[in-house]
Amino acid sequence: MNRSKFKFLVVKAISFIIIAIFIYTATSKLLDFEQFRIQLGQSPLLSSFADFVSIAIILLEFLLSFTLIFHFTRSIGLLLSYGLLTMFTTYIFIILKYSDYIPCSCGGVIEKLSWEEHLLFNLGVIILCAWGFILSKDPIHFDRYNKA
Amino acid sequence: MKIFSRILSLIVVGFLGILTVVILFFMSEKEMHRNNAFIRRYPHHPLNIRDTINIKYDSYYFAGIENDTIYLGNTTAPLFVLKVSLTNKDTSHVLLNVPDFKNYQYVNPRVQFRNSKYYLYDGSVPVIFSGSFDSKLKNALNQKIYFDRLQIIDSNRFWIRSRLTQSNQLELGLLDIKNQRVTFHKKLLTRQIDGFFDVDGIMSFSNNSLLYIYFYRNNYQIINNQGDFEIGNTIDTLSQSNIKIAYNKKRGRRKLANQPTLVNLKGTTWEKYLFINSDRLGKYEPAEMLREASIIDVYDFKEKSYEFSFYLYDHFDKKAREFRVVKSRLYALYDNYLTIHHLDLPD
């Protein structure tokens, strides 16, 4: 197995892990959407934007999963996933440090994690995204790499 | 070169992500706490600390202040009352004598001490035990009249707050235990949204008036013992509470759907004075004061006028949990300490 092929497999594996996480959390949010929106509304940071943000986050998670399936969108998908997770993690960090109380609305079993575990989990996923993005192929030059 | 530009993109995207959330945080902070429409008056040094007494536990609350003695109830030991003498700062305790205390299931039993009598009550049972210390405390409430707040008018009459099951509204009622009757004065609490969450507030009794201070709007009600009322306004300008209610059909529950702006956090009364701990900054007020102190606004509820404001500073990195005022003294509970302050009030 050559180097390029190995890289390709790593990127693919990372993408599928992230797809699994996004689909899982987005679905569990969607299944109890009312509850998710109420939790966001109670959040000290998002109170006034809860209606918009609750829909946007779920759509974004599905959309990003979609981009991660295909070779030619994977690179940008990984970069944007990295961005979204950075936002989630900053949010958790601020809530932990500066807020009087902490509602969680991440969805599914991830809600059962303690906040410190949650932070570590997110950092892990961020590193995966970043790593995947660095290894992934440039969409514009995709064909060239492919021939090589 | 490819790896360099990739890392650069990661740094830029990461930075933008963090920035967005931080901006969001400051926007909501500002919206919640700042109101430039009013200005507070801060006289120089109206409050000076005099004493700090270690009471060893952080579960005490004020049950009453009478005859130079502070009576503190304890949420974890409902029958235990700590007495702090203000003349020599000595502490002693009494254990209330309630023979059939064990016959009931309690949710939140509370003690109040008024006119040399103890009242131990829990509105979810419901029971009201009363009596002086040397006698046994007896249950005076035989009807199933449930309540969640109680204020004593005299040994036979109480103001209570209950959720009425038919309407799901919070109402204030006058409870007369001599006749075992309660009269709900409907429309005493002014409904703005749902009549339950939006009318929530603090009850305090002084000068033969019940004061009801709303959490989520800028007014309070002064209610006499016949159930007539007047409305007073605080210096804040938020007159309409911005509560949103969500009804979760799947779980069959009503919940707060947003984080509504809290106008009044805590309140207490002494004679004609009303003291309100506000969570909001007025014009020209430094933002760090909300972190370092409790802002207390003083009103004269007879005149319905604003007098002045002062800072009740945090101690031991804790906010004052509760405070009371009697004459020129302010008493506050922090953590496991009771503090005594001198307070300058206008005559």
Side-chain angles (χ1 to χ4, degrees), chain B residues 97-268:
Chain B
N97 186 357
V98 186
D100 53 350
F101 184 74
K102 286 215 166 64
N103 300 348
Y104 305 96
Q105 291 279 319
Y106 303 89
V107 176
N108 181 21
R110 287 275 166 158
V111 178
Q112 285 192 41
F113 184 79
R114 173 75 72 83
N115 294 330
S116 311
K117 269 180 102 174
Y118 290 97
Y119 300 85
L120 172 67
Y121 58 92
D122 187 330
S124 48
V125 180
V127 284
I128 303 174
F129 299 102
S130 67
S132 54
F133 172 60
D134 17 294
S135 66
K136 289 171 181 157
L137 270 64
K138 287 200 209 68
N139 183 16
L141 183 62
N142 305 319
Q143 303 289 318
K144 289 277 176 218
I145 299 166
Y146 298 94
F147 55 90
D148 72 341
R149 302 267 168 92
L150 175 140
Q151 288 291 321
I152 302 159
I153 301 173
D154 53 45
S155 55
N156 290 319
R157 290 185 301 162
F158 307 88
W159 275 111
I160 56 169
R161 191 182 78 171
S162 307
R163 181 177 65 89
L164 300 191
T165 37
Q166 313 92 299
S167 59
N168 222 359
Q169 309 267 297
L170 284 180
E171 304 283 4
L172 296 179
L174 261 173
L175 174 65
D176 180 343
I177 50 171
K178 220 176 191 172
N179 304 316
Q180 295 289 320
R181 276 199 48 191
V182 64
T183 319
F184 283 104
H185 289 267
K186 295 195 179 164
K187 312 296 168 245
L188 259 189
L189 296 184
T190 318
R191 169 185 175 147
Q192 284 186 339
I193 290 156
D194 70 333
F196 183 75
F197 286 111
D198 71 311
V199 296
D200 201 0
I202 308 146
M203 284 165 81
S204 181
F205 192 83
S206 170
N207 221 332
N208 259 318
S209 312
L210 175 75
L211 271 281
Y212 194 90
I213 306 138
Y214 292 102
F215 282 139
Y216 305 111
R217 59 183 104 150
N218 69 345
N219 43 69
Y220 55 90
Q221 264 161 244
I222 311 144
I223 304 163
N224 71 13
N225 295 343
Q226 279 72 49
D228 306 318
F229 73 93
E230 290 178 82
I231 292 177
N233 287 320
T234 70
I235 49 175
D236 206 294
T237 50
L238 194 100
S239 58
Q240 181 69 37
S241 60
N242 54 17
I243 272 187
K244 276 192 211 140
I245 310 294
Y247 185 69
N248 190 331
K249 286 197 191 89
K250 212 155 133 199
R251 305 193 182 201
R253 268 187 254 159
R254 274 196 305 174
K255 281 181 89 170
L256 279 180
N258 62 347
Q259 204 194 14
T261 310
L262 260 170
V263 180
N264 304 311
L265 286 178
K266 299 185 178 102
T268 186

Side-chain angles (χ1 to χ4, degrees), chain A residues 52-90:
Chain A
F52 169 73
V53 172
S54 56
I55 296 167
I57 284 183
I58 294 176
L59 278 181
L60 211 60
E61 283 181 335
F62 280 127
L63 198 75
L64 286 178
S65 310
F66 203 67
T67 62
L68 289 173
I69 299 174
F70 306 106
H71 307 304
F72 53 98
T73 49
R74 207 169 264 162
S75 173
I76 188 78
L78 281 166
L79 181 64
L80 291 178
S81 307
Y82 162 84
L84 186 66
L85 276 151
T86 311
M87 288 170 77
F88 286 166
T89 311
T90 314

Side-chain angles (χ1 to χ4, degrees), chain A residues 3 9 29 31 40 42 45 48 57 59 65 68 74 76-77 87 99-100 109 113-114 125 136-137 140 145 148:
Chain A
R3 221 177 135 74
L9 279 177
K29 280 168 199 155
L31 286 178
L40 277 188
Q42 289 170 336
L45 266 75
S48 20
I57 284 183
L59 278 181
S65 310
L68 289 173
R74 207 169 264 162
I76 188 78
M87 288 170 77
S99 183
D100 306 334
V109 279
L113 296 175
S114 83
V125 182
S136 68
K137 284 161 186 161
I140 301 159
Y145 277 104

Side-chain angles (χ1 to χ4, degrees), chain A residues 1 5 14 18 21 30 33 46 51 55 67 82 86 95 97-98 106-107 118 128 132 135 137:
Chain A
M1 191 160 66
K5 182 113 187 200
I14 289 175
I18 292 160
I21 294 171
L30 200 62
F33 185 67
L46 297 171
D51 288 336
I55 296 167
T67 62
Y82 162 84
T86 311
I95 292 253
K97 270 237 135 84
Y98 299 102
C106 312
H118 207 329
L128 274 186
L135 293 185
K137 284 161 186 161

Side-chain angles (χ1 to χ4, degrees), chain A residues 32 44 47 82 101 133 136, chain B residues 6 10 28 248 250-251 259:
Chain A
D32 206 348
S47 205
Y82 162 84
Y101 64 99
F133 174 66
S136 68
Chain B
R6 293 254 152 152
L10 285 174
S28 68
N248 190 331
K250 212 155 133 199
R251 305 193 182 201
Q259 204 194 14

